[in-house]
Every structure is written in structure tokens, then in C-alpha cells.
């Protein structure tokens, strides 16, 4: 008998046994399979060791089942983990119902296969939707790039492109992974559109900078010329207005620069207009007495309208007009126009009477009037004869026609004073 034969045999367990030399076996459908040795402990310790290994495997199967039920993980990932776990269970160095574990794993794998198909369909749909969304971003970027750079509001366009790029990055970070070739194709289109917009923006601002520099230089020279007009005072206003027209045509130099230059340009103009304002104020002050003098002349001239002696009326008016002119101009101008209009009414009244008198005493007019009177008188005599003859004949129609003509000639005669 060997040394091992002296050791008592451990009673068999449902799934495992331990030989006298510490060899541990597991019971399977086709018999016992050796899973290892545990020579440095008791049979109970040996079985407990390999049963714990089985419990670990069973725990992993249970964990997979729980993760599948909770639907918190990808079915394809769980399926891959289950496949790996199957390899560890088959022929595992563990004591327990390994066949039952494999059966549970087979059931789980079947369920995971169906879930994988569902996930694949959902993943494809998600990818298709992501392609549509990313394509839409590309098309919007290309639309921005295709716009005429001269008509673009670049501040808004830059903000729009930045927003599109942020959305693109969010899609890449949070969206499903696209097929590599398609993803690269879309990115190249988006990158090119973004580059075009950026190039157009740089070109626009470079041109704007040059335009603003030209405007700034031109306006600076205009400011210097406007400030040089200061010694001319009011006489410089005409030249300042010419400079103002040039200022309006000079273009924009940028808000801050424009504001600063305009403040200087306007101050130069204000100084010129201030000189005129001061002169006008002085003139208005000097005109106070003149206004009173002309009002007094209007009072003096008022009776001229009723003066029957036309020569005396003209003489009085002429004297008043001479004094009126000697008083001089009045400021403000609107006050002068009011006074001039009042005197002009009196002058017009006298002139109208003079014209009437001239017409009535003009020899040529008298001759023409006498000739007209003579012609009308002859025509009236002739028509009166025609009326008498027509009545004598009993020709009413001819009598009526002659009478009508007769009345017309008499009316004309009265009109010329005959």
C-alpha cells in the first residue's frame, strides 16, 4: 500500500470530490473531470476553494443578466462579454453546476442576439439621421460661403459660422460615429466652406481698413482746412460749406475716428457761424430804431391812398421813399419784408391811378377810342335801318337777327364810353 492509501477517502459531494492526494474533480454529464489540486489543506477547504471559483463565475453570469434586464449597456458589448465568459466557463477549474451556467449563458446570448439586431437597426437610423444633420450643417456653411462678400454683414456672418462650427463639434463629440469615408467627405466640405468664409471676411476687412484709411486721411485734411478758416470769420462760411460737401463724399473712417474728426470739423464751423450770429445780433439791435422810423413813415404815407391830387400823392410818396431808403436795411429780414410790403401797397395804389390816368389822357388811346366810337355809331345806324326795313317787310327772322346785332354794338359803344 502506498502512502496515499493510508488516507481516508473524502465522501463525494453533488458536484465535486477530493482525492486523498488533494486532487479535486467536478462532476459533469460524462463523468468526473479533474480541475486541480489542493494538497496543503483539508478536503473541505479544497472544495470550498473551487466552489468559490464557481461562485465567481456564477456571479459574472448573474451580473450580465442584470445588465441586460436594465438595458443600461450595449447588447453587442454584453454579447462579446458573454462569449468571453463562455470560454472561461467551459473547462473551468471550478466546482459547481457548470452546465447550468452554460445554459443560462446560452439563453442570455440568444436574447442579446435579438437585442443586438434591434440596436443595429437603431444605430443605423441614428447614423442616417446624423448624416442628414451634418449634411445640413455643411449646406448652411456652403450657403454662407457662396454669398457675395460685398453684401454680407460680417459680424452676423462670423457669428453664424461660429455657431455652425460649435454644432459640428457637438455632433462629433456626442453623435454616433459616421463611416470614415463619409465623415471625411463631409468634413472637407465644411472645412472648405469655413475657409472660404474666413478668407472673404479677411479680404473684406482688409479692403475696409484701406478704405477707412483713405477716408481718415481725407477727413483729416478737411479738418485742417476748416480750422484754417477761423481768421476769416463769417466770410469763411462759404468755403466751409464747400468743405462740408467734400466731407460727406469722403466716406467712412470708422466710428471712433469719424466721431473725433467730426467734433473738430464741427467746432471749426461753429466758430464761423458764431461770428455770423454775433453780427446778426448786432444788426438786429441796431435795427430797433430803424424799425420805429419806418413804421412812422408808414403812418405818414397812409393818407396818400386817399389823396385826390395824383401829382401831390406822387410827390409825397417819392419823399417818403427817399427817406425810407436813407434809413437803410433792417434785420431780421422777415421784419424788413413786412414793412416793405406795407409801403409797396401804397406805391401800387398810386401807380394804378397813374396808369388809369395815362390811359385816359393818352392821345393815341383817345384817337383809337374815337375811331372805334365812330365805327360803332355807323354800324348802329345801319342796323337800325335794317331792323326798320325787316319789320316793314314782315320778315321777323331778319328783324330779330338785326336787333341782336344792334344790341351787341350798343353794348360795345357803352364799353368804350360812347
Amino acid at each position: 500500500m502506498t502512502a496515499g492509501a493510508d488516507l481516508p477517502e473524502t465522501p463525494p459531494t453533488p458536484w465535486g470530490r477530493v482525492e486523498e492526494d488533494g486532487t479535486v474533480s467536478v462532476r459533469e454529464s460524462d463523468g468526473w473531470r479533474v480541475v486541480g489540486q489542493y494538497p496543503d489543506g483539508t478536503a473541505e477547504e479544497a472544495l470550498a476553494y473551487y466552489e468559490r471559483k464557481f461562485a465567481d463565475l456564477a456571479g459574472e453570469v448573474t451580473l450580465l443578466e442584470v445588465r441586460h434586464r436594465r438595458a443600461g449597456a450595449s447588447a453587442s458589448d454584453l454579447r462579446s462579454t458573454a462569449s468571453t465568459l463562455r470560454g472561461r466557463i467551459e473547462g473551468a477549474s471550478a466546482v459547481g453546476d457548470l452546465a447550468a451556467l452554460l445554459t443560462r449563458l446560452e439563453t442570455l446570448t440568444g436574447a442579446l442576439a435579438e437585442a443586438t439586431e434591434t440596436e443595429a437597426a437603431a444605430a443605423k437610423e441614428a447614423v442616417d439621421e446624423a448624416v442628414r444633420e451634418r449634411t445640413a450643417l455643411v449646406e448652411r456653411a456652403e450657403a454662407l460661403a457662396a454669398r457675395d462678400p460685398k453684401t454680407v454683414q460680417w459680424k452676423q456672418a462670423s457669428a453664424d459660422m461660429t455657431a455652425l462650427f460649435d454644432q459640428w463639434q457637438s455632433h462629433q463629440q456626442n453623435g454616433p460615429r459616421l463611416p470614415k469615408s463619409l465623415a471625411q467627405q463631409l468634413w472637407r466640405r465644411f472645412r472648405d466652406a469655413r475657409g472660404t468664409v474666413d478668407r472673404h471676411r479677411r479680404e473684406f476687412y482688409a479692403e475696409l481698413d484701406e478704405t477707412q484709411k483713405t477716408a481718415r486721411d481725407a477727413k483729416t485734411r478737411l479738418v485742417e482746412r476748416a480750422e484754417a478758416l477761423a481768421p476769416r470769420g463769417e466770410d469763411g462760411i462759404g468755403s466751409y460749406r464747400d468743405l462740408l460737401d467734400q466731407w460727406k463724399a469722403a466716406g467712412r473712417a470708422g466710428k471712433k475716428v469719424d466721431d473725433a474728426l467730426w467734433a473738430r470739423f464741427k467746432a471749426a464751423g461753429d466758430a464761423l457761424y458764431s461770428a455770423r450770429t454775433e453780427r446778426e445780433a448786432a444788426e438786429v439791435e441796431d435795427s430797433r430804431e430803424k424799425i420805429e422810423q419806418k413804421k412812422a413813415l408808414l403812418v405818414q404815407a397812409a393818407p396818400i391812398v386817399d389823396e385826390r391830387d395824383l401829382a401831390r400823392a406822387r410827390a409825397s410818396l417819392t419823399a417818403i421813399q427817399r427817406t425810407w431808403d436813407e434809413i437803410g436795411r433792417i434785420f431780421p429780414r422777415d421784419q424788413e419784408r413786412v414793412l416793405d410790403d406795407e409801403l409797396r401797397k401804397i406805391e401800387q395804389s398810386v401807380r394804378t391811378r397813374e396808369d388809369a390816368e395815362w390811359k385816359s389822357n393818352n392821345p393815341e388811346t383817345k384817337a383809337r377810342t374815337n375811331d372805334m366810337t365812330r365805327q360803332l355809331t355807323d354800324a348802329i345806324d345801319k342796323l337800325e335801318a335794317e331792323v326798320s326795313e325787316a319789320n316793314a317787310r314782315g320778315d321777323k327772322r331778319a328783324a330779330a337777327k338785326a336787333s341782336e346785332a344792334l344790341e351787341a354794338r350798343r353794348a360795345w359803344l357803352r364799353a368804350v364810353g360812347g
Side-chain angles (χ1 to χ4, degrees):
M1 182 178 291
T2 64
D6 296 334
L7 294 174
E9 185 174 329
T10 302
T13 63
W15 298 107
R17 70 182 181 184
V18 181
E19 303 293 339
E20 292 180 356
D21 61 356
T23 298
V24 181
S25 301
V26 63
R27 181 165 58 85
E28 295 181 337
S29 59
D30 55 353
W32 293 92
R33 176 175 62 83
V34 175
V35 295
Q37 285 189 323
Y38 197 92
D40 297 328
T42 63
E44 288 78 7
E45 290 174 341
L47 285 175
Y49 173 73
Y50 285 98
E51 286 172 349
R52 285 197 298 274
K53 287 190 172 184
F54 175 84
D56 291 340
L57 293 174
E60 291 187 49
V61 172
T62 300
L63 179 60
L64 283 178
E65 292 171 335
V66 171
R67 292 177 66 190
H68 172 57
R69 287 196 302 271
R70 291 180 177 176
S74 167
S76 61
D77 291 343
L78 294 179
R79 190 177 180 187
S80 175
T81 303
S83 177
T84 301
L85 184 56
R86 169 189 289 279
R88 291 168 54 200
I89 293 175
E90 291 177 341
S93 296
V95 171
D97 192 353
L98 294 173
L101 276 185
L102 288 174
T103 299
R104 289 170 58 190
L105 204 55
E106 285 291 340
T107 302
L108 177 60
T109 301
L112 290 174
E114 295 179 3
T116 299
E117 293 180 0
T118 302
E119 281 186 354
K124 183 179 183 306
E125 183 178 350
V127 168
D128 291 343
E129 179 62 22
V131 169
R132 286 192 293 271
E133 292 177 354
R134 206 168 294 185
T135 300
L137 291 178
V138 170
E139 291 173 348
R140 289 167 62 188
E142 289 175 337
L144 283 176
R147 294 171 63 185
D148 183 354
K150 295 180 180 179
T151 65
V152 173
Q153 295 291 333
W154 282 107
K155 183 176 181 180
Q156 183 61 48
S158 298
D160 291 343
M161 181 55 73
T162 299
L164 290 177
F165 184 62
D166 290 343
Q167 293 177 54
W168 181 276
Q169 289 184 312
S170 177
H171 269 264
Q172 283 188 317
Q173 295 170 1
N174 304 318
R177 184 182 298 275
L178 303 188
K180 185 176 180 181
S181 61
L182 179 57
Q184 290 178 341
Q185 176 188 357
L186 290 173
W187 167 245
R188 281 194 296 269
R189 288 175 61 189
F190 187 88
R191 179 195 59 199
D192 291 345
R194 186 169 176 239
T196 298
V197 170
D198 187 57
R199 175 168 55 82
H200 287 168
R201 181 182 59 80
R202 290 197 304 271
E203 291 172 352
F204 171 81
Y205 281 110
E207 183 178 351
L208 180 62
D209 288 343
E210 184 62 28
T211 301
Q212 290 183 342
K213 180 179 181 299
T214 301
R216 181 180 67 247
D217 294 343
K219 287 185 173 181
T220 299
R221 291 191 295 271
L222 291 173
V223 167
E224 293 169 351
R225 291 170 62 186
E227 291 174 338
L229 294 173
R232 297 174 57 184
E234 182 181 358
D235 293 337
I237 289 178
S239 299
Y240 179 79
R241 287 174 176 169
D242 293 338
L243 295 178
L244 181 59
D245 291 337
Q246 297 176 50
W247 178 281
K248 294 176 180 178
R252 300 283 297 172
K255 187 177 188 320
K256 291 183 178 179
V257 174
D258 267 339
D259 289 347
L261 290 174
W262 172 250
R264 290 176 57 190
F265 188 82
K266 184 175 182 299
D270 289 344
L272 303 179
Y273 284 102
S274 176
R276 186 173 72 176
T277 300
E278 292 174 0
R279 188 262 305 163
E280 290 177 345
E283 289 177 340
V284 169
E285 183 63 30
D286 292 342
S287 295
R288 295 184 186 278
E289 183 177 352
K290 295 179 179 180
I291 290 173
E292 296 302 323
Q293 291 174 351
K294 287 193 173 184
K295 286 182 178 180
L297 286 177
L298 286 175
V299 173
Q300 183 180 342
I304 293 176
V305 176
D306 300 322
E307 175 61 56
R308 292 187 176 184
D309 188 336
L310 186 57
R312 185 179 299 174
R314 168 54 66 183
S316 299
L317 178 61
T318 300
I320 290 174
Q321 287 175 327
R322 187 178 296 111
T323 305
W324 187 280
D325 293 338
E326 290 173 355
I327 292 174
R329 302 297 303 274
I330 287 177
F331 301 91
R333 301 296 190 194
D334 56 348
Q335 181 67 43
E336 182 180 56
R337 283 191 293 271
V338 170
L339 295 172
D340 285 346
D341 288 344
E342 291 298 321
L343 183 61
R344 195 172 293 112
K345 291 177 183 178
I346 297 173
E347 182 181 2
Q348 184 61 41
S349 174
V350 174
R351 183 180 294 115
T352 300
R353 291 168 59 192
E354 288 175 336
D355 290 343
E357 183 177 1
W358 167 252
K359 288 180 181 180
S360 63
N361 296 323
N362 186 351
E364 293 182 1
T365 302
K366 286 184 176 181
R368 285 196 297 271
T369 300
N370 291 335
D371 185 58
M372 176 67 72
T373 301
R374 186 164 50 252
Q375 291 178 14
L376 289 172
T377 302
D378 292 344
I380 288 171
D381 291 342
K382 183 179 178 181
L383 288 170
E384 286 176 345
E386 289 180 3
V387 170
S388 298
E389 290 175 2
N391 287 331
R393 294 195 308 269
D395 190 345
K396 296 182 178 180
R397 182 176 180 182
K401 183 176 180 181
S403 296
E404 183 178 352
L406 177 61
E407 288 303 319
R409 298 306 186 277
R410 288 172 175 170
W412 293 353
L413 182 61
R414 288 194 296 272
V416 297

